Amino acid sequence: MTVFTEGDLQIVIDDALTARRFDGESHVLSHCMKAVDFIVDLPELYMFVEFKDPEHPMSRQENRRAFVQSFLSGEIDEELKYKFRDSFLYEWAAGRAEKPVRFYVLVALEELTAFNLQARTQSLRSKLPVGIPNSWTRTIAEDCAVFNLSSWNQRFQDFQVTRISSLQ
């Protein structure tokens, strides 16, 4: 079992072959490339995982409002696009991109509705090379989706996320 903490969020990964924090000191090209928070290596695919936590107890209210505005307007999609692309390129150059990749974003903000999450998912899908064009022999992004905490935990029973401050 692997446990990662990102701010006030904790993810427990049970059946992954490997899971690693990608955004951090081990990502030696952070000066020129963005990185997803975690990469999970499953038998059949890679999961690129990005956490956003505007409800972190230490976040200021104005930061939360700015994040919500960025999320609802779609501005955040540009950041997420580059996080995926740079992470994929990094992994490809390191010889670790031989399986399909799925990009999942957790936005720990419960006020987000299914409509909000679906809108961001569709917008992100339009900015990433999801699927396979006729001229390619393999995909770059097999899928992507945006979740809030409850929808994440419903979808990913083996990768539960909890808010650390709520455990205390």
Side-chain angles (χ1 to χ4, degrees):
M1 173 169 50
T2 305
V3 178
F4 289 113
T5 300
E6 179 73 18
D8 194 40
L9 301 174
Q10 185 176 73
I11 185 170
V12 177
I13 301 170
D14 286 329
D15 66 351
L17 294 175
T18 60
R20 59 193 161 93
R21 179 177 304 280
F22 189 59
D23 190 10
E25 292 178 19
S26 64
H27 185 274
V28 296
L29 295 176
S30 61
H31 65 282
C32 64
M33 297 178 86
K34 294 194 173 283
V36 297
D37 290 324
F38 309 106
I39 297 177
V40 181
D41 183 354
L42 298 168
E44 68 282 359
L45 62 96
Y46 295 108
M47 281 177 55
F48 285 11
V49 178
E50 178 67 20
F51 282 1
K52 296 293 183 189
D53 188 13
E55 289 187 339
H56 187 291
M58 301 302 284
S59 290
R60 295 191 338 235
Q61 191 63 23
E62 57 270 14
N63 291 348
R64 182 182 178 283
R65 278 194 299 274
F67 178 86
V68 170
Q69 181 178 354
S70 172
F71 182 86
L72 294 176
S73 71
E75 289 175 40
I76 193 172
D77 298 344
E78 286 298 305
E79 174 191 351
L80 296 172
K81 173 180 77 174
Y82 289 113
K83 281 183 173 268
F84 175 84
R85 284 184 180 177
D86 289 357
S87 298
F88 180 84
L89 182 59
Y90 189 103
E91 290 296 283
W92 174 81
R96 292 186 297 257
E98 70 276 358
K99 293 186 274 189
V101 177
R102 294 181 184 170
F103 181 36
Y104 297 128
V105 179
L106 167 65
V107 180
L109 187 61
E110 287 308 306
E111 72 188 55
L112 299 176
T113 65
F115 176 80
N116 298 140
L117 297 170
Q118 185 61 26
R120 287 290 51 80
T121 295
Q122 291 304 320
S123 179
L124 189 57
R125 286 180 68 87
S126 73
K127 294 181 182 322
L128 296 177
V130 175
I132 182 166
N134 289 336
S135 60
W136 291 5
T137 58
R138 58 183 279 202
T139 62
I140 292 176
E142 185 178 79
D143 192 21
C144 69
V146 180
F147 301 89
N148 63 16
L149 198 53
S150 60
S151 65
W152 175 280
N153 285 331
Q154 285 177 327
R155 169 71 171 77
F156 299 108
Q157 298 290 315
D158 294 336
F159 308 108
Q160 294 291 291
V161 176
T162 54
R163 183 166 293 288
I164 297 169
S165 60
S166 69
L167 299 174
Q168 301 169 352

